[in-house]
Amino acid sequence: MRLLTLRGLRLLVLAVFAVFFVAPMLWLLLAPTKADNALVTSNPFAFGSFHQIVLAWNHLDGFSSHIYRRWIENSLLYAVSATLIVLATAIPAGYGLAFGTFRGRKAILTLTLVVMIMPAAALVLPIFLELNALKLIGSVFSVILPFAFYPFGVYIAYIYYSTTMPRDVLDAARIDGCGEWTTFRRIALPLAKPVIALVLFFSFVADWNNFFLPYAVLAKSSQYPIQVGLSNLLSSTPSFNPAVGGGGQQVNIFRPELALATLIAVVPVLLVFMLSQRSLVRGLLGGGVKQ
Amino acid sequence: MLTPAAQVTRQRGLPAGRARRKRGLGSGRGVGFVVPYLPFLVAFGILPMIYALTLAFTSHKGKFIGLKNFTQAGNDFRFGPSFEHVFLYTAVWLGTLIVFVVGLALVLHGRAGRASSTFRFLYYIPGALAGAASVLVWLFMLDPGVSPGTFLLHLFGSHLFVESIAPGHLPFIFAMIAFWTGAGGWIVVLHGALNTIPQDLEEAARIDGAGPLNIALRLKLPMIRKWIAYMVILSFATGTQLFVEPQLVNQASLGMVPDTWSSNQLAYQLAFRYGKFNEAAAISVDLLLIGLIAAVIIVTRTGLFRRED
């Protein structure tokens, strides 16, 4: 009996939190199916019509001569190229830090940790000045290169290798005549699949959602990633900005358009999540080597 | 039973391996793997850190002026409130994070697989919406005109959008947004950590008569302490970085919420609107120091980075 009430209570708590996490998403999913005034008058979770979605998309796409598409493309370019560099540098680095014996290993590890726990935004200003000195401000590299530095990725690769990969396996490979590089490629890399998925996911999401750095280093709105673009869109809508007034009528950006813009901006992250979900759900330390 | 061939390699193998390891110590094994990462660490980690420090202690002409930038930034009438806002926000956010994320992770770990993974997935979904997108969603949620939670908003006494985003509410609202987007990810991470606890340990505890509550609090909780500390450090760091949320609310509030609401915004405004890069750097250094002190306290109290070999 007591066990039963405990179980009921547990389920209730879980359900309440599920509502908290899911209801806003559900609302967002349904908002573009309705006209702006219907959002106010109809049930928040009622479905409108598919026709409205098309209408909202046409308004959104028409905004500032297709700039919305441009923002999504920019974000993809920045996040994908930066994440590829992160994977190519962070996984080997984590491996080297876990099993290497070179001088300065501790120092690199400590510095990585220090930079990792450092508020990244505190570094945006000096990074801006640095890029400015290199005359990179306003170029795509001013976003991609800083994004490509992802100490968190190095750290999880390091944790993964040092906790789940027995030294004996590597030693065995070396005894069998594998060189450093072959050992890494044949043994360490295939075993690291879960951690590669994790780094890929976290790095992509961090880049996709980053607002401050591109906001500071990019000047032209045609170069904005979607996050900065969304804030641009927000300031052009009369729904939250009555001052825009007549301008809102001209640009046709109201709440349904804004909701659609937000929704589309989330799709790539969801896709990457699906891709790496198995590793994510299994957790960091599940795979690799069974003891 | 080993085959003769395996026995031979084994006999040959062991001493050879030892010899190699010895030689490896001197020659620096594995450095090549770290090299590609180093330019990034230097260019976007170490150099900016040094640069920020230099700027903070020099005048705009590059002369060393001690703490003058710090006192000047500190005397700005917006300095105090902006740090207060960020502290209150961070405290609320960390508190809810620790209590609810750890609690939910433990509750979910006790449940059977299918239901647990469904809940984890549901909780995780908003994680896709960090940054500007999450703020936009919550601007809708806080607008009594369109929100599905209008009755809740009325309960808190707000009937208009501007009442919802009154400056006094903002630290709590931002903490809620951060929790909404971030909690699911950490629940997944903690769940992963919980999965590494050997099953026999749990079984032994159960045989000894420990109930699910006791197992959760006395066995599982201590074993994921490191991960909790890790979560707190990273969240503290992101907490003090608050920028996009107040920036967007500023845009949506017709300036009722100042564009220097958070300390990071203040640094941004000082640098890019007033050209006071040195004072802005001083604020960045203030934030760095706070982050470092907090990290050191947490690390030394939990032994987070002790290497277990």
Side-chain angles (χ1 to χ4, degrees), chain A residues 4-115:
Chain A
L4 219 65
T5 47
L6 193 71
R7 194 168 285 173
L9 194 71
R10 225 178 181 184
L11 206 61
L12 185 72
V13 171
L14 290 175
V16 167
F17 273 96
V19 170
F20 167 73
F21 284 111
V22 173
M25 293 297 292
L26 203 59
W27 183 91
L28 185 71
L29 211 58
L30 292 164
T33 67
K34 287 174 270 192
D36 195 60
N37 62 341
L39 280 179
V40 183
T41 52
S42 74
N43 182 313
F45 294 115
F47 180 81
S49 70
F50 287 107
H51 174 68
Q52 277 296 335
I53 305 180
V54 178
L55 213 61
W57 168 250
N58 287 337
H59 290 160
L60 182 61
D61 195 34
F63 176 69
S64 200
S65 50
H66 307 299
I67 200 163
Y68 184 80
R69 294 175 189 218
R70 194 63 199 271
W71 290 336
I72 296 275
E73 286 164 17
N74 290 341
S75 274
L76 283 175
L77 171 71
Y78 302 151
V80 169
S81 26
T83 300
L84 287 180
I85 304 177
V86 167
L87 285 178
T89 55
I91 305 289
Y95 171 76
L97 289 171
F99 296 113
T101 49
F102 52 91
R103 272 173 105 188
R105 190 187 71 90
K106 269 243 164 86
I108 295 174
L109 199 57
T110 313
L111 280 169
T112 300
L113 291 175
V114 168
V115 181

Side-chain angles (χ1 to χ4, degrees), chain B residues 63-118:
Chain B
K63 240 177 78 188
F64 180 78
I65 52 166
L67 293 175
K68 213 168 155 207
N69 288 321
F70 289 87
T71 51
Q72 237 158 27
N75 284 333
D76 192 301
F77 68 97
R78 295 160 291 194
F79 182 87
S82 71
F83 272 84
E84 257 169 53
H85 293 153
V86 169
F87 275 129
L88 187 53
Y89 156 76
T90 310
V92 176
W93 148 236
L94 287 185
T96 46
L97 202 62
I98 295 171
V99 172
F100 291 123
V101 166
V102 175
L104 287 173
L106 287 173
V107 170
L108 280 173
H109 195 246
R111 287 196 71 79
R114 181 67 54 92
S116 166
S117 72
T118 311

Side-chain angles (χ1 to χ4, degrees), chain A residues 171-190:
Chain A
D171 282 342
R174 285 200 197 94
I175 291 157
D176 287 348
C178 288
E180 289 292 322
W181 173 245
T182 324
T183 309
F184 174 70
R185 220 195 52 206
R186 294 261 182 83
I187 314 277
L189 206 55

